[in-house]
Amino acid sequence: GCGTALQEKPGRPQTVTLPNGATLSLRKDSLNYNLAKFLASKDDTEVPRTFVFDHLNFTSGTTQLTPASMPTLRDLASILKAYPSVEVRLDGHTDNVGDAETNTTLSLNRAEGVKALLVKSGIASKRLSTAGFGQDRPVAPNTTEEGKARNRRLELVVLKK
């Protein structure tokens, strides 16, 4: 069928057991899977380490997360609860559509919105910082819809492990 343009082959969910005994079913190579593996690793300690959110989407031009984004945030909150010493920064990014200043504000507000939801989930706000970079740090050309979609992203930066 001709559904979405991006045919992602989602990895099979893996059961990941966290240090506090909680278990999550996470798709291999998803943000939460990679984050949990990184935090569990005794050898891989280099920070800051950046992870790009997958399955975290906002209604266009707003800070409103889509309902499909909630499981990603729920799992992230579980991981952060299991590693109480970890500190992260949420970095918001946009494509180049619209006014640069507006985009910077939007990207910061989106990061702030995700932080607020994590705090509501029981994560101490002092462990979470935010930044908004608007359209200043593209990871793909803004010349195609696919490129713009890749540039509209939220990143999780582990500052302290």
XYZ file of all heavy atoms in Angstrom, residues 42-135:
707
model
N 29.219 0.125 31.649
C 30.262 0.616 32.559
C 31.447 1.160 31.757
O 32.239 1.948 32.256
C 30.758 -0.524 33.462
C 29.680 -1.087 34.377
C 29.441 -0.182 35.575
C 28.346 -0.677 36.475
N 27.074 0.028 36.286
N 31.587 0.724 30.505
C 32.751 1.096 29.701
C 32.532 2.380 28.922
O 33.443 3.154 28.704
C 33.084 -0.025 28.695
C 33.237 -1.368 29.386
O 33.787 -1.391 30.510
O 32.790 -2.384 28.825
N 31.306 2.579 28.489
C 30.985 3.713 27.641
C 30.547 4.873 28.526
O 29.387 4.967 28.901
C 29.861 3.299 26.678
C 29.682 4.301 25.553
O 30.368 5.342 25.565
O 28.845 4.042 24.671
N 31.497 5.743 28.874
C 31.193 6.780 29.869
C 31.325 8.199 29.327
O 31.157 9.153 30.066
C 32.140 6.638 31.077
O 33.485 6.663 30.590
C 31.893 5.338 31.823
N 31.650 8.338 28.059
C 31.915 9.661 27.516
C 30.638 10.492 27.414
O 29.663 10.079 26.802
C 32.541 9.509 26.128
C 33.184 10.786 25.642
C 33.792 10.607 24.259
O 34.450 9.578 24.025
O 33.577 11.507 23.427
N 30.646 11.645 28.071
C 29.537 12.591 27.964
C 30.121 13.944 27.558
O 31.303 14.175 27.775
C 28.754 12.714 29.305
C 27.946 11.467 29.581
C 29.646 13.063 30.461
N 29.367 14.866 26.986
C 27.957 14.687 26.649
C 27.749 13.695 25.504
O 28.588 13.568 24.633
C 27.521 16.098 26.241
C 28.768 16.792 25.829
C 29.868 16.194 26.643
N 26.618 13.009 25.546
C 26.231 12.069 24.498
C 24.839 12.455 24.021
O 23.936 12.616 24.839
C 26.222 10.648 25.062
C 25.784 9.575 24.081
C 26.788 9.329 22.964
N 28.083 8.960 23.464
C 28.459 7.689 23.700
N 27.630 6.700 23.485
N 29.665 7.437 24.138
N 24.691 12.614 22.717
C 23.421 13.060 22.143
C 22.637 11.904 21.538
O 23.208 11.077 20.832
C 23.674 14.128 21.053
O 24.348 15.233 21.655
C 22.366 14.616 20.442
N 21.356 11.873 21.841
C 20.427 10.899 21.273
C 19.299 11.685 20.612
O 18.780 12.622 21.214
C 19.839 9.995 22.363
C 20.879 9.195 23.093
C 21.532 9.715 24.200
C 21.231 7.920 22.658
C 22.510 8.979 24.871
C 22.204 7.174 23.323
C 22.844 7.698 24.430
N 18.931 11.309 19.408
C 17.843 12.002 18.712
C 16.549 11.245 18.982
O 16.483 10.030 18.813
C 18.113 12.079 17.188
C 16.954 12.790 16.482
C 19.420 12.821 16.922
N 15.532 11.975 19.428
C 14.235 11.351 19.692
C 13.654 10.778 18.414
O 13.712 11.406 17.353
C 13.233 12.375 20.237
C 13.327 12.574 21.711
C 14.062 13.627 22.227
C 12.672 11.716 22.583
C 14.141 13.827 23.597
C 12.745 11.911 23.954
C 13.490 12.965 24.457
N 13.095 9.589 18.531
C 12.295 9.035 17.455
C 10.887 8.911 18.039
O 10.716 8.847 19.240
C 12.831 7.656 17.023
C 13.114 6.743 18.204
O 12.941 7.180 19.370
O 13.506 5.595 17.996
N 9.916 8.883 17.207
C 8.526 8.740 17.662
C 8.157 9.797 18.697
O 7.561 9.504 19.717
C 8.277 7.329 18.214
C 8.587 6.285 17.181
N 7.787 6.062 16.096
C 9.639 5.455 17.058
C 8.333 5.125 15.355
N 9.450 4.746 15.897
N 8.623 11.012 18.438
C 8.221 12.140 19.274
C 7.849 13.238 18.293
O 8.719 13.798 17.635
C 9.370 12.586 20.180
C 8.968 13.600 21.244
C 8.172 12.913 22.353
C 10.192 14.247 21.857
N 6.572 13.496 18.158
C 6.120 14.450 17.156
C 5.168 15.464 17.752
O 4.404 15.159 18.659
C 5.435 13.711 16.004
C 6.400 12.790 15.292
O 7.393 13.231 14.743
N 6.129 11.501 15.345
N 5.259 16.668 17.217
C 4.416 17.765 17.655
C 3.430 18.103 16.544
O 3.738 17.954 15.366
C 5.262 19.008 17.944
C 6.227 18.819 19.077
C 7.506 18.344 18.846
C 5.852 19.116 20.376
C 8.400 18.172 19.888
C 6.739 18.945 21.428
C 8.008 18.471 21.185
N 2.272 18.589 16.931
C 1.348 19.149 15.955
C 2.050 20.360 15.340
O 2.656 21.154 16.066
C 0.037 19.567 16.656
O -0.445 18.455 17.408
C -1.008 19.985 15.650
N 1.996 20.482 14.028
C 2.741 21.516 13.305
C 2.587 22.901 13.928
O 1.473 23.351 14.188
C 2.287 21.545 11.853
O 3.045 22.504 11.156
N 3.722 23.559 14.167
C 3.722 24.921 14.672
C 3.307 25.079 16.122
O 3.123 26.186 16.594
N 3.156 23.948 16.834
C 2.717 24.030 18.231
C 3.685 23.270 19.137
O 4.599 22.597 18.674
C 1.323 23.395 18.440
O 1.455 21.963 18.384
C 0.333 23.859 17.386
N 3.431 23.364 20.430
C 4.210 22.601 21.407
C 3.423 21.372 21.854
O 3.809 20.698 22.807
C 4.525 23.464 22.649
O 3.286 23.893 23.217
C 5.359 24.674 22.274
N 2.322 21.079 21.165
C 1.441 19.965 21.526
C 1.980 18.645 20.964
O 2.105 18.491 19.763
C 0.039 20.243 20.950
C -1.023 19.265 21.398
C -1.303 19.382 22.889
O -1.538 20.457 23.411
N -1.255 18.256 23.571
N 2.310 17.719 21.860
C 2.773 16.410 21.408
C 1.610 15.598 20.863
O 0.496 15.687 21.361
C 3.394 15.635 22.583
C 4.832 15.974 22.931
C 5.207 15.302 24.241
C 5.783 15.541 21.837
N 1.879 14.799 19.844
C 0.849 13.901 19.322
C 0.657 12.760 20.318
O 1.602 12.388 21.035
C 1.271 13.321 17.959
O 2.467 12.570 18.135
C 1.493 14.423 16.930
N -0.553 12.184 20.382
C -0.796 11.069 21.314
C 0.179 9.903 21.112
O 0.582 9.252 22.069
C -2.230 10.644 20.989
C -2.872 11.855 20.396
C -1.777 12.575 19.659
N 0.595 9.680 19.869
C 1.519 8.576 19.576
C 2.905 8.797 20.204
O 3.694 7.863 20.319
C 1.659 8.399 18.064
N 3.183 10.032 20.628
C 4.481 10.342 21.231
C 4.550 9.953 22.706
O 5.633 9.873 23.285
C 4.757 11.845 21.123
O 4.732 12.248 19.778
N 3.391 9.741 23.330
C 3.369 9.526 24.776
C 4.127 8.284 25.256
O 4.819 8.352 26.267
C 1.936 9.542 25.308
C 1.339 10.941 25.270
S 2.531 12.214 25.812
C 1.551 13.662 25.822
N 4.043 7.136 24.550
C 4.812 5.976 25.021
C 6.328 6.248 25.088
O 6.998 5.794 26.013
C 4.498 4.885 23.992
C 3.173 5.276 23.435
C 3.161 6.782 23.427
N 6.846 7.022 24.122
C 8.272 7.367 24.125
C 8.621 8.129 25.404
O 9.620 7.835 26.068
C 8.616 8.225 22.882
O 8.355 7.466 21.717
C 10.072 8.652 22.893
N 7.775 9.092 25.765
C 8.027 9.886 26.970
C 7.873 9.059 28.237
O 8.636 9.222 29.184
C 7.066 11.073 27.028
C 7.575 12.360 26.425
C 6.607 13.484 26.699
C 8.949 12.712 26.931
N 6.869 8.170 28.248
C 6.660 7.306 29.414
C 7.886 6.429 29.659
O 8.363 6.301 30.781
C 5.436 6.417 29.175
C 4.310 6.652 30.151
C 3.237 5.579 30.149
N 3.070 4.857 28.903
C 2.218 5.195 27.928
N 1.456 6.261 28.044
N 2.117 4.464 26.836
N 8.395 5.828 28.577
C 9.576 4.968 28.708
C 10.797 5.772 29.129
O 11.593 5.323 29.950
C 9.857 4.238 27.384
C 8.813 3.161 27.086
O 8.051 2.787 28.011
O 8.756 2.705 25.926
N 10.937 6.983 28.576
C 12.064 7.835 28.952
C 12.006 8.159 30.448
O 13.028 8.094 31.142
C 12.058 9.125 28.128
C 13.122 10.157 28.527
C 14.535 9.584 28.424
C 12.986 11.411 27.679
N 10.829 8.481 30.952
C 10.683 8.784 32.376
C 11.086 7.569 33.215
O 11.780 7.709 34.228
C 9.250 9.201 32.692
N 10.699 6.374 32.776
C 11.079 5.150 33.508
C 12.591 4.979 33.542
O 13.163 4.616 34.571
C 10.457 3.915 32.847
O 9.058 3.999 32.876
N 13.238 5.246 32.418
C 14.701 5.107 32.355
C 15.365 6.130 33.274
O 16.275 5.800 34.042
C 15.193 5.253 30.899
C 14.706 4.059 30.060
C 16.725 5.348 30.850
C 14.881 4.243 28.562
N 14.900 7.377 33.229
C 15.504 8.414 34.073
C 15.283 8.121 35.564
O 16.157 8.400 36.384
C 14.955 9.790 33.694
C 15.394 10.311 32.317
C 14.683 11.621 31.989
C 16.904 10.481 32.236
N 14.138 7.529 35.899
C 13.889 7.161 37.301
C 14.872 6.086 37.764
O 15.298 6.071 38.912
C 12.461 6.637 37.478
C 11.426 7.728 37.526
C 10.017 7.160 37.633
C 9.015 8.285 37.495
N 7.688 7.830 37.120
N 15.227 5.179 36.850
C 16.109 4.064 37.193
C 17.566 4.509 37.344
O 18.373 3.802 37.942
C 16.011 2.974 36.131
N 17.891 5.666 36.776
C 19.260 6.209 36.868
C 19.187 7.603 37.483
O 19.290 8.606 36.783
C 19.898 6.274 35.474
C 20.154 4.911 34.868
C 19.238 4.321 34.007
C 21.319 4.210 35.165
C 19.475 3.074 33.449
C 21.574 2.964 34.615
C 20.640 2.399 33.755
O 20.876 1.168 33.214
N 19.006 7.675 38.819
C 18.729 8.970 39.450
C 19.864 9.990 39.377
O 19.636 11.168 39.598
C 18.415 8.602 40.904
C 18.842 7.200 41.085
C 18.936 6.555 39.751
N 21.087 9.561 39.058
C 22.191 10.534 39.000
C 22.334 11.167 37.616
O 23.083 12.125 37.437
C 23.505 9.859 39.388
O 23.799 8.837 38.445
N 21.616 10.638 36.637
C 21.754 11.124 35.265
C 21.112 12.502 35.108
O 20.016 12.751 35.604
C 21.122 10.109 34.280
C 20.984 10.698 32.888
C 21.949 8.838 34.248
N 21.840 13.388 34.431
C 21.305 14.712 34.104
C 21.301 14.864 32.596
O 22.255 14.461 31.923
C 22.165 15.811 34.743
C 22.062 15.809 36.258
C 23.000 16.819 36.921
O 23.543 17.695 36.218
O 23.169 16.704 38.141
N 20.209 15.418 32.063
C 20.070 15.548 30.616
C 19.628 16.948 30.221
O 19.078 17.691 31.032
C 19.062 14.528 30.038
C 19.486 13.098 30.338
C 17.654 14.784 30.536
N 19.912 17.270 28.961
C 19.414 18.518 28.388
C 18.556 18.142 27.182
O 18.909 17.251 26.409
C 20.576 19.407 27.936
C 20.115 20.805 27.486
C 21.286 21.681 27.071
N 21.834 21.205 25.799
C 23.142 21.024 25.563
N 24.041 21.258 26.475
N 23.540 20.588 24.375
N 17.430 18.810 27.052
C 16.537 18.617 25.912
C 16.790 19.755 24.940
O 16.639 20.924 25.302
C 15.084 18.629 26.388
C 14.737 17.501 27.364
C 13.499 17.853 28.166
C 14.558 16.191 26.617
N 17.234 19.422 23.726
C 17.542 20.421 22.707
C 16.480 20.385 21.621
O 16.293 19.346 20.974
C 18.898 20.126 22.052
C 20.076 20.420 22.978
O 19.854 20.962 24.077
O 21.215 20.112 22.577
N 15.810 21.511 21.410
C 14.804 21.597 20.360
C 15.385 22.182 19.085
O 16.241 23.079 19.132
N 14.936 21.650 17.936
C 15.379 22.116 16.621
C 14.181 22.210 15.682
O 13.221 21.456 15.838
C 16.399 21.141 16.015
C 17.627 20.954 16.850
N 18.740 21.757 16.736
C 17.906 20.070 17.831
C 19.663 21.356 17.607
N 19.174 20.338 18.281
N 14.256 23.111 14.698
C 13.188 23.243 13.709
C 13.782 23.196 12.301
O 15.004 23.259 12.130
C 12.429 24.587 13.855
O 13.338 25.656 13.538
C 11.861 24.780 15.251
N 12.895 23.156 11.302
C 13.344 23.349 9.925
C 13.433 24.860 9.675
O 13.294 25.656 10.607
C 12.409 22.640 8.941
C 10.967 23.125 9.049
O 10.746 24.289 9.458
O 10.059 22.347 8.739
N 13.656 25.263 8.434
C 13.854 26.692 8.147
C 12.599 27.391 7.650
O 12.663 28.479 7.106
C 14.989 26.886 7.137
C 14.622 26.331 5.765
O 13.631 25.618 5.605
N 15.437 26.641 4.778
N 11.438 26.751 7.836
C 10.185 27.380 7.408
C 9.780 28.418 8.450
O 9.763 28.123 9.645
C 9.071 26.322 7.233
C 7.747 27.001 6.893
C 9.463 25.325 6.154
N 9.494 29.619 7.984
C 9.056 30.662 8.911
C 10.208 31.516 9.401
O 11.334 31.432 8.922
N 9.903 32.322 10.381
C 10.812 33.310 10.919
C 11.820 32.653 11.873
O 11.439 31.854 12.729
C 9.946 34.343 11.668
C 10.771 35.378 12.385
O 11.470 36.134 11.691
O 10.712 35.405 13.627
N 13.098 32.987 11.708
C 14.160 32.358 12.510
C 13.934 32.558 14.012
O 14.095 31.625 14.797
C 15.523 32.917 12.102
N 13.558 33.772 14.394
C 13.356 34.061 15.819
C 12.183 33.255 16.379
O 12.255 32.687 17.465
C 13.113 35.562 15.996
C 13.346 36.036 17.411
C 13.226 37.553 17.517
O 13.759 38.259 16.634
O 12.593 38.006 18.478
N 11.104 33.175 15.600
C 9.935 32.391 15.992
C 10.323 30.923 16.143
O 9.898 30.239 17.080
C 8.816 32.540 14.932
O 8.543 33.935 14.777
C 7.549 31.817 15.354
N 11.131 30.421 15.215
C 11.565 29.023 15.268
C 12.402 28.733 16.511
O 12.263 27.679 17.123
C 12.348 28.656 14.005
C 11.427 28.419 12.819
O 10.246 28.157 12.991
N 11.972 28.514 11.624
N 13.261 29.681 16.873
C 14.081 29.495 18.070
C 13.184 29.410 19.306
O 13.355 28.528 20.154
C 15.106 30.641 18.209
O 15.915 30.654 17.031
C 15.991 30.442 19.433
N 12.208 30.297 19.385
C 11.266 30.284 20.506
C 10.469 28.981 20.525
O 10.327 28.345 21.575
C 10.305 31.491 20.398
O 11.090 32.679 20.358
C 9.361 31.548 21.586
N 9.979 28.565 19.350
C 9.201 27.331 19.252
C 10.035 26.128 19.694
O 9.570 25.283 20.454
C 8.703 27.135 17.814
C 7.910 25.852 17.544
C 6.609 25.840 18.343
C 7.620 25.709 16.045
N 11.291 26.073 19.239
C 12.130 24.923 19.584
C 12.394 24.858 21.090
O 12.377 23.784 21.695
C 13.448 24.949 18.797
O 14.231 26.074 19.130
N 12.590 26.013 21.713
C 12.795 26.045 23.169
C 11.504 25.671 23.888
O 11.519 24.889 24.840
C 13.258 27.433 23.613
C 13.459 27.572 25.136
C 14.522 26.601 25.647
C 13.830 28.997 25.501
N 10.381 26.203 23.427
C 9.103 25.896 24.075
C 8.770 24.409 23.989
O 8.199 23.838 24.918
C 7.981 26.739 23.471
C 8.084 28.202 23.868
O 8.811 28.559 24.799
N 7.389 29.058 23.148
N 9.132 23.774 22.860
C 8.900 22.337 22.736
C 9.767 21.563 23.724
O 9.285 20.635 24.378
C 9.184 21.877 21.304
C 8.080 22.289 20.364
C 8.355 21.874 18.945
N 7.150 22.049 18.128
C 7.119 21.869 16.820
N 8.204 21.513 16.168
N 5.987 22.041 16.161
N 11.027 21.957 23.851
C 11.908 21.307 24.822
C 11.365 21.500 26.242
O 11.333 20.570 27.045
C 13.332 21.858 24.703
N 10.893 22.715 26.529
C 10.307 23.024 27.845
C 9.051 22.188 28.094
O 8.796 21.740 29.210
C 9.962 24.520 27.946
C 11.165 25.423 28.065
C 11.809 25.403 29.444
O 11.162 24.957 30.410
O 12.969 25.835 29.556
N 8.258 21.999 27.046
C 7.033 21.209 27.169
C 7.329 19.762 27.523
O 6.657 19.161 28.369
N 8.351 19.200 26.874
C 8.744 17.819 27.174
C 9.303 17.739 28.592
O 8.992 16.818 29.346
C 9.754 17.299 26.122
C 10.341 15.963 26.542
C 9.060 17.179 24.769
N 10.096 18.741 28.977
C 10.621 18.776 30.350
C 9.466 18.782 31.351
O 9.478 18.026 32.326
C 11.494 20.023 30.551
C 11.954 20.195 31.996
C 12.782 21.447 32.201
C 13.094 21.642 33.675
N 14.004 22.770 33.921
N 8.450 19.606 31.103
C 7.309 19.702 32.018
C 6.620 18.344 32.166
O 6.237 17.952 33.269
C 6.331 20.761 31.527
N 6.473 17.623 31.062
C 5.838 16.302 31.125
C 6.702 15.313 31.910
O 6.184 14.479 32.655
C 5.572 15.773 29.716
C 4.442 16.497 28.957
C 4.427 16.078 27.495
C 3.098 16.210 29.607
N 8.023 15.410 31.749
C 8.918 14.521 32.507
C 8.864 14.842 34.003
O 8.856 13.936 34.840
C 10.353 14.632 31.985
C 10.590 13.997 30.606
C 11.974 14.371 30.081
C 10.417 12.490 30.652
N 8.808 16.132 34.339
C 8.701 16.542 35.746
C 7.390 16.011 36.332
O 7.349 15.485 37.446
C 8.811 18.083 35.883
C 8.427 18.536 37.289
C 10.228 18.534 35.546
N 6.319 16.105 35.529
C 5.024 15.584 35.944
C 5.090 14.075 36.187
O 4.374 13.534 37.020
C 3.994 15.896 34.857
C 2.635 16.250 35.383
C 1.806 16.916 34.308
C 0.520 16.131 34.092
N -0.250 16.701 32.985
N 5.978 13.397 35.457
C 6.158 11.946 35.609
C 7.036 11.596 36.808
O 7.321 10.423 37.042
C 6.813 11.355 34.358
O 6.086 11.671 33.221
N 7.533 12.620 37.509
C 8.307 12.347 38.716
C 9.805 12.539 38.592
O 10.568 12.140 39.466
N 10.263 13.164 37.505
C 11.694 13.428 37.348
C 11.985 14.810 37.921
O 11.316 15.784 37.568
C 12.113 13.372 35.852
C 11.661 12.068 35.196
C 13.626 13.571 35.706
C 12.182 10.805 35.823
N 12.995 14.910 38.785
C 13.338 16.195 39.402
C 13.761 17.195 38.326
O 14.595 16.871 37.477
C 14.464 16.003 40.407
N 13.190 18.400 38.388
C 13.470 19.373 37.328
C 14.934 19.788 37.305
O 15.446 20.172 36.264
C 12.555 20.581 37.451
O 12.905 21.358 38.556
N 15.637 19.679 38.429
C 17.055 20.058 38.432
C 17.912 19.118 37.589
O 19.042 19.447 37.248
C 17.594 20.174 39.858
C 17.682 18.864 40.629
C 18.306 19.132 42.011
C 18.734 17.900 42.745
N 17.671 16.908 42.985
N 17.374 17.954 37.235
C 18.108 17.005 36.381
C 17.899 17.282 34.906
O 18.511 16.647 34.058
C 17.636 15.572 36.673
C 17.915 15.113 38.088
C 17.314 13.743 38.340
N 17.781 12.774 37.376
C 17.195 11.591 37.164
N 16.117 11.251 37.842
N 17.673 10.757 36.270
N 16.992 18.224 34.593
C 16.595 18.466 33.208
C 16.835 19.921 32.838
O 16.299 20.812 33.478
C 15.100 18.163 33.047
C 14.601 16.799 33.504
C 13.089 16.797 33.614
C 15.066 15.724 32.530
N 17.641 20.152 31.809
C 17.775 21.510 31.298
C 17.280 21.513 29.854
O 17.058 20.453 29.266
C 19.222 22.008 31.399
O 20.103 21.101 30.779
N 17.093 22.707 29.308
C 16.547 22.803 27.958
C 17.314 23.836 27.152
O 17.933 24.751 27.714
C 15.061 23.233 27.987
O 14.956 24.448 28.731
C 14.175 22.170 28.600
N 17.262 23.700 25.843
C 17.831 24.692 24.928
C 17.033 24.646 23.636
O 16.485 23.604 23.273
C 19.304 24.386 24.647
N 16.943 25.777 22.969
C 16.268 25.841 21.676
C 17.202 26.439 20.645
O 17.726 27.528 20.844
N 17.421 25.713 19.571
C 18.353 26.168 18.541
C 17.655 26.570 17.250
O 18.313 26.964 16.288
C 19.393 25.080 18.258
C 20.258 24.787 19.440
C 20.031 23.673 20.226
C 21.282 25.656 19.802
C 20.822 23.406 21.343
C 22.079 25.404 20.915
C 21.841 24.279 21.685
N 16.324 26.459 17.222
C 15.594 26.844 16.021
C 16.137 26.122 14.803
O 16.360 24.915 14.825
N 16.413 26.906 13.746
C 16.855 26.326 12.480
C 18.377 26.363 12.324
O 18.899 26.073 11.248
C 16.183 27.071 11.328
C 16.547 28.548 11.271
C 15.577 29.347 10.424
O 14.380 29.099 10.411
N 16.111 30.328 9.697
